[in-house]
Amino acid sequence: MTTVELSDLVVNYRRRGSGPPVVLLHGLAEDLRSWDAVAAHLGEFAVYTLDLRGHGRTTAGEGAGTLSQLSDDLAAFLNAVTGPAAVVGYSLGGTIGLRAAVDTPALIRHLIVVATSSVVGTAAAEFFDGRIAQLEDHDWHGFAAGLRDDTAKQVVTEADIGTLASKRLDAVGDGRGYINAARAMTGVRSEPLNPLLARIEVPVDVVGAEFDVFCPRRASDIIVDAVAGCRYHEVAGAGHLLSVDQPDAYGKLVARLLHERGAA
């Protein structure tokens, strides 16, 4: 592991391999370890995985609770560490990638968004608000139980839910990063990305999961229909946690898409 100081953050990241740079952004209540199975298929690239603000071993800094701040965090990392790179974002990470493709397109050579939504509905906003309230009230028992339930709903194959939930809880740390990111996603309720998507000019691929109830196909279609030249791809037999349900199919697809768009 390596760290880099960026503005108000100390970012924890890992680099593996050599070749064209690819940056992998994890989802809410995850850290860089969640990419291990996918990164194993990206041997022809310099793969950078990082802990987002307040997740894993990255400090929380002064969280503004906005998607723009998380986009700025990504831009700072690209400027300081990798230079322009391909970016693969999962769930929260994909939403950050979309915002960054609008804000700092020169830094993103190719964007792959996975299980990602560009708008947050009422039910999702209420979900985030509920989890934020639990953490602010220091209701760790309730939060942990909810996280376990959420995790179970995100997989469709046999998996050790207890171990998965434990890893996710560890990634949450003291909760400040989760609160910050959840507030950023709630903000997408009032200020959806949809009106901005047509401004994206970098190559974009959207990856969905066949049985994803958190980001269903209609969420992918919104992005595909709005971004010029965008393509949709689906991983069969997977729920929202593709890296758990179908890690090999997922990793091979990401590798293929990076090659097709000329990242290698």
Coordinates of all heavy atoms in Angstrom, one line a residue, residues 1 9-14 16 22-38 47-59 67 70 73-74 77 87-98 111-116 154 167-173 176-182 185 240-243 250:
M1 N 0.8 -1.2 0.0 CA 0.0 0.0 0.0 C 0.9 1.3 0.0 O 2.0 1.3 0.6 CB -0.9 0.0 1.2 CG -1.9 -1.2 1.3 SD -3.1 -1.3 0.0 CE -3.9 -2.8 0.4
L9 N -6.8 15.4 2.3 CA -6.9 13.9 2.4 C -5.5 13.3 2.4 O -4.5 13.8 1.8 CB -7.6 13.3 1.2 CG -9.1 13.6 1.1 CD1 -9.6 12.9 -0.2 CD2 -9.9 13.2 2.3
V10 N -5.4 12.2 3.1 CA -4.3 11.2 2.8 C -4.9 10.0 2.2 O -5.7 9.3 2.9 CB -3.6 10.9 4.1 CG1 -2.5 9.9 3.8 CG2 -3.0 12.1 4.8
V11 N -4.7 9.8 0.9 CA -5.3 8.7 0.2 C -4.5 7.4 0.2 O -3.3 7.5 -0.1 CB -5.6 9.1 -1.3 CG1 -6.2 8.0 -2.1 CG2 -6.5 10.3 -1.3
N12 N -5.1 6.4 0.6 CA -4.4 5.0 0.6 C -4.7 4.4 -0.8 O -5.9 4.3 -1.2 CB -5.0 4.2 1.7 CG -4.4 2.8 1.7 OD1 -3.2 2.7 1.9 ND2 -5.2 1.8 1.6
Y13 N -3.7 3.9 -1.5 CA -3.9 3.2 -2.7 C -2.9 2.1 -3.0 O -1.9 2.0 -2.3 CB -3.9 4.3 -3.9 CG -2.5 4.8 -4.2 CD1 -1.7 4.2 -5.3 CD2 -2.0 5.9 -3.6 CE1 -0.5 4.8 -5.6 CE2 -0.7 6.4 -3.9 CZ 0.0 5.8 -4.9 OH 1.2 6.3 -5.3
R14 N -3.2 1.3 -4.0 CA -2.3 0.2 -4.3 C -2.1 0.3 -5.8 O -3.1 0.4 -6.6 CB -2.8 -1.1 -3.9 CG -2.0 -2.3 -4.3 CD -2.6 -3.6 -3.9 NE -1.8 -4.7 -4.4 CZ -2.2 -6.0 -4.3 NH1 -3.3 -6.3 -3.8 NH2 -1.4 -7.0 -4.7
R16 N -0.6 -2.1 -9.0 CA -0.1 -3.4 -9.4 C 0.1 -3.5 -10.9 O -0.7 -2.9 -11.6 CB -1.0 -4.6 -8.9 CG -2.3 -4.6 -9.5 CD -3.3 -5.6 -8.8 NE -4.0 -4.9 -7.7 CZ -4.7 -5.4 -6.8 NH1 -4.9 -6.8 -6.8 NH2 -5.4 -4.7 -5.9
V22 N -5.0 2.3 -15.3 CA -6.4 2.1 -15.1 C -6.7 2.3 -13.6 O -6.1 1.7 -12.7 CB -6.9 0.7 -15.5 CG1 -8.4 0.5 -15.2 CG2 -6.6 0.4 -16.9
V23 N -7.7 3.2 -13.3 CA -8.0 3.5 -11.9 C -9.4 2.9 -11.6 O -10.4 3.1 -12.3 CB -8.1 5.0 -11.7 CG1 -8.5 5.3 -10.2 CG2 -6.7 5.6 -11.9
L24 N -9.5 2.1 -10.5 CA -10.7 1.4 -10.1 C -11.3 2.1 -8.9 O -10.6 2.2 -7.8 CB -10.4 -0.1 -9.8 CG -9.6 -0.8 -10.9 CD1 -9.5 -2.3 -10.5 CD2 -10.3 -0.7 -12.3
L25 N -12.5 2.5 -9.0 CA -13.2 3.2 -7.9 C -14.3 2.3 -7.3 O -15.2 1.9 -8.0 CB -13.9 4.5 -8.4 CG -13.0 5.5 -9.1 CD1 -13.8 6.7 -9.5 CD2 -11.8 5.9 -8.2
H26 N -14.2 2.0 -6.0 CA -15.2 1.1 -5.3 C -16.5 1.7 -5.0 O -16.7 2.9 -5.2 CB -14.5 0.5 -4.1 CG -14.2 1.5 -3.0 ND1 -15.2 2.1 -2.2 CD2 -13.0 2.0 -2.6 CE1 -14.6 2.9 -1.4 NE2 -13.3 2.9 -1.6
G27 N -17.4 1.0 -4.5 CA -18.7 1.4 -4.1 C -18.8 1.8 -2.6 O -17.8 1.8 -1.9
L28 N -20.0 2.2 -2.2 CA -20.3 2.6 -0.8 C -20.1 1.4 0.1 O -20.5 0.3 -0.2 CB -21.7 3.1 -0.7 CG -22.2 3.8 0.6 CD1 -21.4 5.0 0.9 CD2 -23.6 4.0 0.5
A29 N -19.5 1.7 1.2 CA -19.2 0.7 2.2 C -18.3 -0.4 1.7 O -18.4 -1.6 2.0 CB -20.5 0.0 2.7
E30 N -17.3 0.0 0.9 CA -16.3 -0.9 0.4 C -14.9 -0.2 0.5 O -14.9 1.0 0.9 CB -16.6 -1.3 -1.1 CG -17.8 -2.1 -1.3 CD -17.9 -2.7 -2.7 OE1 -17.5 -2.0 -3.6 OE2 -18.4 -3.8 -2.8
D31 N -13.9 -0.9 0.1 CA -12.6 -0.3 0.0 C -11.8 -0.9 -1.2 O -12.4 -1.7 -1.9 CB -11.8 -0.4 1.3 CG -11.6 -1.8 1.8 OD1 -11.6 -2.8 1.0 OD2 -11.4 -2.0 3.0
L32 N -10.6 -0.6 -1.3 CA -9.8 -1.1 -2.5 C -9.7 -2.6 -2.6 O -9.6 -3.2 -3.7 CB -8.4 -0.5 -2.5 CG -7.5 -0.6 -1.4 CD1 -6.8 -2.0 -1.4 CD2 -6.4 0.5 -1.4
R33 N -9.9 -3.3 -1.5 CA -9.8 -4.8 -1.5 C -11.0 -5.4 -2.4 O -10.8 -6.5 -2.8 CB -9.9 -5.4 -0.1 CG -8.7 -5.0 0.8 CD -9.0 -5.5 2.2 NE -10.1 -4.8 2.8 CZ -10.6 -5.1 4.0 NH1 -10.0 -6.0 4.8 NH2 -11.6 -4.4 4.5
S34 N -12.0 -4.7 -2.5 CA -13.2 -5.2 -3.3 C -12.9 -5.5 -4.7 O -13.6 -6.1 -5.4 CB -14.4 -4.3 -3.1 OG -14.1 -3.0 -3.8
W35 N -11.8 -4.9 -5.2 CA -11.4 -5.0 -6.6 C -10.4 -6.2 -6.9 O -10.0 -6.4 -8.0 CB -10.7 -3.7 -7.1 CG -11.7 -2.6 -7.4 CD1 -11.8 -1.5 -6.6 CD2 -12.6 -2.5 -8.4 NE1 -12.7 -0.7 -7.2 CE2 -13.3 -1.3 -8.3 CE3 -13.0 -3.3 -9.5 CZ2 -14.3 -0.8 -9.2 CZ3 -13.9 -2.9 -10.4 CH2 -14.6 -1.7 -10.2
D36 N -10.0 -6.9 -5.9 CA -9.0 -7.9 -6.1 C -9.3 -8.9 -7.2 O -8.4 -9.2 -8.0 CB -8.7 -8.7 -4.7 CG -8.0 -7.8 -3.7 OD1 -7.5 -6.7 -4.1 OD2 -7.9 -8.2 -2.6
A37 N -10.5 -9.4 -7.2 CA -10.8 -10.5 -8.2 C -10.9 -9.9 -9.6 O -10.5 -10.6 -10.6 CB -12.2 -11.1 -7.8
V38 N -11.3 -8.6 -9.8 CA -11.3 -8.0 -11.1 C -9.9 -7.7 -11.5 O -9.5 -7.9 -12.7 CB -12.2 -6.8 -11.1 CG1 -12.1 -6.0 -12.4 CG2 -13.6 -7.1 -10.8
V47 N -2.6 -1.0 -12.7 CA -3.9 -0.9 -12.1 C -3.8 -0.2 -10.7 O -3.0 -0.7 -9.9 CB -4.5 -2.3 -11.9 CG1 -5.9 -2.2 -11.1 CG2 -4.7 -3.0 -13.2
Y48 N -4.6 0.8 -10.6 CA -4.6 1.6 -9.3 C -5.9 1.4 -8.6 O -6.9 1.7 -9.2 CB -4.3 3.1 -9.6 CG -3.0 3.4 -10.1 CD1 -2.7 3.3 -11.5 CD2 -1.9 3.8 -9.3 CE1 -1.5 3.6 -12.1 CE2 -0.7 4.2 -9.9 CZ -0.5 4.0 -11.2 OH 0.8 4.3 -11.7
T49 N -5.9 0.9 -7.4 CA -7.1 0.8 -6.6 C -6.9 1.7 -5.4 O -5.8 1.8 -4.9 CB -7.4 -0.6 -6.1 OG1 -6.2 -1.2 -5.5 CG2 -7.8 -1.5 -7.3
L50 N -7.9 2.5 -5.0 CA -7.7 3.4 -3.9 C -9.0 3.4 -3.0 O -10.1 3.0 -3.4 CB -7.5 4.8 -4.4 CG -8.6 5.5 -5.3 CD1 -8.7 7.0 -5.0 CD2 -8.4 5.2 -6.8
D51 N -8.7 3.7 -1.8 CA -9.8 3.9 -0.8 C -10.4 5.3 -1.0 O -9.6 6.3 -0.9 CB -9.3 3.7 0.6 CG -8.9 2.3 0.9 OD1 -9.4 1.4 0.3 OD2 -8.1 2.1 1.9
L52 N -11.7 5.4 -1.2 CA -12.3 6.7 -1.4 C -12.3 7.4 0.0 O -12.1 6.9 1.0 CB -13.7 6.6 -1.9 CG -13.9 5.9 -3.3 CD1 -15.3 5.8 -3.7 CD2 -13.1 6.8 -4.3
R53 N -12.6 8.7 -0.1 CA -12.6 9.6 1.1 C -13.4 8.9 2.3 O -14.6 8.6 2.2 CB -13.3 10.9 0.7 CG -13.4 11.9 1.9 CD -14.1 13.2 1.4 NE -13.3 14.0 0.6 CZ -12.5 15.0 1.0 NH1 -12.6 15.4 2.2 NH2 -11.8 15.7 0.1
G54 N -12.7 8.7 3.4 CA -13.3 8.2 4.6 C -13.6 6.7 4.6 O -14.2 6.2 5.5
H55 N -13.2 6.0 3.5 CA -13.3 4.6 3.5 C -12.0 3.9 3.6 O -10.9 4.5 3.3 CB -13.9 4.2 2.1 CG -15.4 4.5 2.0 ND1 -15.9 5.7 1.8 CD2 -16.5 3.6 1.9 CE1 -17.2 5.7 1.7 NE2 -17.6 4.5 1.8
G56 N -12.0 2.7 4.1 CA -10.7 2.0 4.3 C -9.7 2.7 5.1 O -10.0 3.2 6.2
R57 N -8.5 3.0 4.5 CA -7.5 3.7 5.2 C -7.3 5.1 4.7 O -6.3 5.7 5.1 CB -6.2 2.9 5.1 CG -6.2 1.5 5.7 CD -4.9 0.8 5.6 NE -4.9 -0.6 6.1 CZ -3.9 -1.4 6.1 NH1 -2.8 -1.1 5.5 NH2 -4.0 -2.6 6.6
T58 N -8.2 5.6 3.9 CA -8.1 7.0 3.5 C -8.8 7.9 4.5 O -9.9 7.5 5.0 CB -8.7 7.2 2.1 OG1 -7.9 6.5 1.1 CG2 -8.9 8.6 1.7
T59 N -8.2 9.0 4.9 CA -8.8 9.9 5.8 C -10.1 10.5 5.3 O -10.3 10.6 4.1 CB -7.8 11.0 6.3 OG1 -7.4 11.7 5.1 CG2 -6.5 10.3 6.9
L67 N -21.2 15.3 -4.5 CA -20.6 14.5 -5.6 C -19.5 15.3 -6.3 O -18.5 14.7 -6.7 CB -21.7 14.1 -6.6 CG -21.3 13.1 -7.7 CD1 -20.9 11.8 -7.0 CD2 -22.4 12.9 -8.7
L70 N -16.3 14.6 -4.4 CA -15.7 13.3 -4.7 C -15.1 13.3 -6.1 O -14.1 12.6 -6.3 CB -16.8 12.2 -4.5 CG -17.3 12.1 -3.1 CD1 -18.5 11.1 -3.0 CD2 -16.2 11.7 -2.1
D73 N -11.8 14.9 -5.8 CA -10.9 13.9 -5.2 C -10.2 13.0 -6.3 O -9.0 12.8 -6.3 CB -11.5 13.0 -4.2 CG -12.0 13.8 -2.9 OD1 -11.5 14.9 -2.7 OD2 -12.7 13.2 -2.1
L74 N -11.1 12.5 -7.2 CA -10.6 11.7 -8.3 C -9.6 12.5 -9.2 O -8.6 12.0 -9.5 CB -11.7 11.1 -9.1 CG -11.4 10.4 -10.4 CD1 -10.5 9.2 -10.1 CD2 -12.6 10.0 -11.1
F77 N -6.3 12.9 -7.6 CA -5.5 11.6 -7.6 C -4.9 11.4 -9.0 O -3.7 11.1 -9.1 CB -6.4 10.5 -7.2 CG -5.7 9.1 -7.2 CD1 -4.9 8.8 -6.1 CD2 -5.7 8.3 -8.3 CE1 -4.2 7.6 -6.0 CE2 -5.0 7.1 -8.2 CZ -4.2 6.7 -7.1
V87 N -10.8 4.9 -16.3 CA -11.4 4.8 -15.0 C -12.6 3.8 -15.0 O -13.4 3.9 -15.9 CB -11.9 6.2 -14.5 CG1 -12.7 6.1 -13.2 CG2 -10.8 7.2 -14.4
V88 N -12.6 2.9 -14.1 CA -13.7 2.0 -13.9 C -14.3 2.2 -12.5 O -13.6 2.2 -11.5 CB -13.2 0.5 -14.0 CG1 -14.4 -0.5 -13.9 CG2 -12.4 0.3 -15.2
G89 N -15.6 2.6 -12.5 CA -16.3 2.9 -11.3 C -17.5 2.0 -11.1 O -18.3 1.8 -11.9
Y90 N -17.5 1.5 -9.9 CA -18.6 0.6 -9.5 C -19.6 1.3 -8.5 O -19.2 1.9 -7.5 CB -18.0 -0.7 -8.8 CG -19.1 -1.5 -8.0 CD1 -20.0 -2.3 -8.7 CD2 -19.2 -1.4 -6.6 CE1 -21.0 -3.0 -8.0 CE2 -20.2 -2.1 -5.9 CZ -21.1 -2.9 -6.6 OH -22.1 -3.5 -6.0
S91 N -20.8 1.3 -8.9 CA -21.9 1.9 -8.1 C -21.6 3.3 -7.7 O -21.5 4.2 -8.6 CB -22.1 1.0 -6.9 OG -23.4 1.2 -6.2
L92 N -21.3 3.6 -6.4 CA -20.9 5.0 -6.1 C -19.7 5.5 -6.9 O -19.7 6.6 -7.4 CB -20.5 5.0 -4.6 CG -19.7 6.2 -4.1 CD1 -20.6 7.5 -4.2 CD2 -19.2 6.0 -2.7
G93 N -18.8 4.6 -7.1 CA -17.6 4.9 -7.9 C -17.9 5.3 -9.4 O -17.3 6.1 -10.0
G94 N -19.0 4.6 -9.9 CA -19.4 4.9 -11.3 C -20.1 6.3 -11.3 O -19.9 7.1 -12.3
T95 N -20.8 6.7 -10.3 CA -21.5 8.0 -10.3 C -20.4 9.1 -10.2 O -20.5 10.1 -10.8 CB -22.5 8.1 -9.1 OG1 -23.4 7.0 -9.2 CG2 -23.3 9.3 -9.2
I96 N -19.4 8.8 -9.4 CA -18.2 9.7 -9.3 C -17.6 9.9 -10.7 O -17.2 11.0 -11.1 CB -17.2 9.3 -8.3 CG1 -17.8 9.3 -6.8 CG2 -15.9 10.1 -8.3 CD1 -17.0 8.6 -5.8
G97 N -17.4 8.7 -11.4 CA -16.8 8.8 -12.7 C -17.5 9.6 -13.7 O -17.0 10.3 -14.5
L98 N -18.9 9.5 -13.6 CA -19.7 10.3 -14.6 C -19.5 11.7 -14.3 O -19.4 12.5 -15.2 CB -21.2 9.9 -14.4 CG -21.6 8.5 -14.9 CD1 -23.0 8.2 -14.5 CD2 -21.4 8.4 -16.5
L111 N -14.2 5.6 -19.7 CA -14.9 5.4 -18.5 C -15.8 4.2 -18.6 O -16.6 4.1 -19.5 CB -15.8 6.7 -18.2 CG -16.7 6.6 -17.0 CD1 -15.9 6.4 -15.7 CD2 -17.6 7.8 -16.9
I112 N -15.7 3.3 -17.6 CA -16.6 2.2 -17.5 C -17.3 2.3 -16.2 O -16.7 2.4 -15.1 CB -15.8 0.8 -17.5 CG1 -15.0 0.7 -18.8 CG2 -16.8 -0.4 -17.4 CD1 -14.1 -0.6 -18.8
V113 N -18.6 2.4 -16.3 CA -19.4 2.5 -15.1 C -20.2 1.2 -14.9 O -20.8 0.7 -15.8 CB -20.4 3.7 -15.1 CG1 -19.6 5.0 -15.2 CG2 -21.4 3.7 -16.3
V114 N -20.2 0.7 -13.7 CA -20.7 -0.6 -13.4 C -21.8 -0.5 -12.3 O -21.6 0.1 -11.3 CB -19.6 -1.6 -12.9 CG1 -20.2 -3.0 -12.7 CG2 -18.4 -1.6 -13.9
A115 N -23.0 -1.1 -12.6 CA -24.1 -1.1 -11.6 C -24.3 0.3 -11.0 O -24.3 0.6 -9.8 CB -23.8 -2.1 -10.5
T116 N -24.4 1.3 -12.0 CA -24.4 2.7 -11.6 C -25.7 3.4 -12.0 O -26.3 3.0 -13.0 CB -23.2 3.4 -12.4 OG1 -22.0 2.9 -11.9 CG2 -23.2 4.9 -12.2
Q154 N -27.8 -8.1 -2.3 CA -26.9 -7.7 -3.4 C -26.2 -8.9 -4.1 O -25.5 -8.7 -5.1 CB -25.9 -6.7 -3.0 CG -26.5 -5.4 -2.6 CD -25.4 -4.4 -2.1 OE1 -24.3 -4.3 -2.7 NE2 -25.7 -3.6 -1.1
K167 N -16.4 -7.4 6.2 CA -15.4 -6.7 5.4 C -16.0 -5.3 5.1 O -15.2 -4.3 5.1 CB -15.1 -7.5 4.1 CG -14.2 -8.7 4.4 CD -13.9 -9.4 3.0 CE -13.0 -10.6 3.2 NZ -12.7 -11.3 1.9
R168 N -17.2 -5.2 4.7 CA -17.8 -3.9 4.4 C -17.9 -3.0 5.6 O -17.7 -1.8 5.5 CB -19.2 -4.2 3.8 CG -19.2 -5.0 2.5 CD -20.5 -5.1 1.8 NE -20.8 -3.8 1.2 CZ -22.1 -3.4 0.9 NH1 -23.1 -4.2 1.2 NH2 -22.3 -2.3 0.2
L169 N -18.2 -3.6 6.8 CA -18.3 -2.8 8.0 C -16.9 -2.3 8.3 O -16.7 -1.1 8.8 CB -18.8 -3.7 9.1 CG -19.2 -2.9 10.4 CD1 -20.3 -1.9 10.2 CD2 -19.6 -3.9 11.5
D170 N -15.9 -3.1 8.1 CA -14.5 -2.7 8.4 C -14.1 -1.5 7.4 O -13.5 -0.6 7.8 CB -13.6 -3.9 8.1 CG -12.1 -3.5 8.4 OD1 -11.8 -3.0 9.5 OD2 -11.3 -3.6 7.5
A171 N -14.6 -1.6 6.2 CA -14.3 -0.5 5.2 C -15.0 0.8 5.6 O -14.5 1.9 5.3 CB -14.8 -0.9 3.8
V172 N -16.1 0.7 6.3 CA -16.8 1.9 6.8 C -16.1 2.7 7.9 O -16.2 3.9 8.0 CB -18.2 1.5 7.3 CG1 -18.9 2.7 8.0 CG2 -19.1 1.0 6.1
G173 N -15.3 2.0 8.7 CA -14.5 2.6 9.7 C -15.3 3.4 10.7 O -16.3 2.8 11.3
R176 N -17.6 8.3 9.0 CA -17.6 9.6 8.4 C -17.6 9.6 6.9 O -18.3 10.4 6.2 CB -16.4 10.4 8.9 CG -16.6 10.9 10.4 CD -15.5 11.8 10.8 NE -14.2 11.2 10.8 CZ -13.0 11.8 10.7 NH1 -13.0 13.1 10.7 NH2 -11.9 11.1 10.7
G177 N -16.8 8.6 6.3 CA -16.8 8.5 4.9 C -18.1 8.0 4.3 O -18.5 8.5 3.2
Y178 N -18.7 7.1 5.0 CA -20.0 6.6 4.6 C -21.1 7.7 4.6 O -21.8 7.9 3.6 CB -20.5 5.5 5.5 CG -21.8 4.8 5.0 CD1 -21.7 3.5 4.4 CD2 -23.0 5.4 5.2 CE1 -22.9 2.9 3.9 CE2 -24.2 4.8 4.8 CZ -24.1 3.5 4.1 OH -25.3 2.9 3.7
I179 N -21.1 8.5 5.7 CA -22.0 9.6 5.8 C -21.8 10.6 4.7 O -22.8 11.0 4.0 CB -21.9 10.3 7.2 CG1 -22.4 9.4 8.3 CG2 -22.6 11.6 7.2 CD1 -22.1 9.9 9.7
N180 N -20.6 10.9 4.4 CA -20.2 11.9 3.4 C -20.7 11.4 2.0 O -21.3 12.2 1.3 CB -18.7 12.1 3.4 CG -18.3 13.2 2.4 OD1 -18.7 14.4 2.6 ND2 -17.6 12.9 1.4
A181 N -20.4 10.1 1.7 CA -20.7 9.6 0.4 C -22.2 9.4 0.2 O -22.8 9.7 -0.8 CB -20.0 8.3 0.1
A182 N -22.9 9.0 1.3 CA -24.4 8.9 1.3 C -25.0 10.2 1.1 O -26.0 10.3 0.4 CB -24.8 8.2 2.6
M185 N -24.8 11.1 -2.5 CA -25.8 10.4 -3.3 C -27.2 10.9 -3.1 O -28.0 11.0 -4.1 CB -25.7 8.9 -3.0 CG -24.4 8.2 -3.5 SD -24.1 8.4 -5.3 CE -25.5 7.5 -6.0
H240 N -26.2 -7.1 -7.6 CA -25.4 -5.8 -7.6 C -24.0 -6.0 -7.2 O -23.1 -5.3 -7.8 CB -26.1 -4.9 -6.5 CG -25.6 -3.5 -6.5 ND1 -25.8 -2.7 -7.6 CD2 -24.9 -2.8 -5.6 CE1 -25.3 -1.5 -7.3 NE2 -24.7 -1.5 -6.1
L241 N -23.6 -7.0 -6.4 CA -22.2 -7.3 -6.1 C -21.6 -8.2 -7.1 O -21.4 -9.4 -6.9 CB -22.1 -7.8 -4.7 CG -22.1 -6.8 -3.5 CD1 -22.2 -7.5 -2.2 CD2 -20.9 -5.9 -3.6
L242 N -21.3 -7.7 -8.3 CA -20.8 -8.6 -9.4 C -19.5 -9.2 -9.0 O -19.3 -10.4 -9.5 CB -20.6 -7.7 -10.7 CG -21.8 -7.1 -11.3 CD1 -22.1 -5.7 -10.7 CD2 -21.5 -6.8 -12.8
S243 N -18.7 -8.6 -8.3 CA -17.4 -9.1 -7.9 C -17.5 -10.3 -7.0 O -16.5 -11.1 -6.9 CB -16.5 -8.0 -7.2 OG -17.1 -7.6 -6.0
Y250 N -16.9 -10.9 -14.8 CA -16.8 -9.5 -14.6 C -15.4 -9.0 -15.0 O -15.3 -8.0 -15.8 CB -17.2 -9.2 -13.2 CG -17.1 -7.8 -12.7 CD1 -17.2 -6.7 -13.5 CD2 -17.0 -7.5 -11.3 CE1 -17.2 -5.4 -13.1 CE2 -17.0 -6.2 -10.8 CZ -17.1 -5.2 -11.7 OH -17.1 -3.9 -11.2

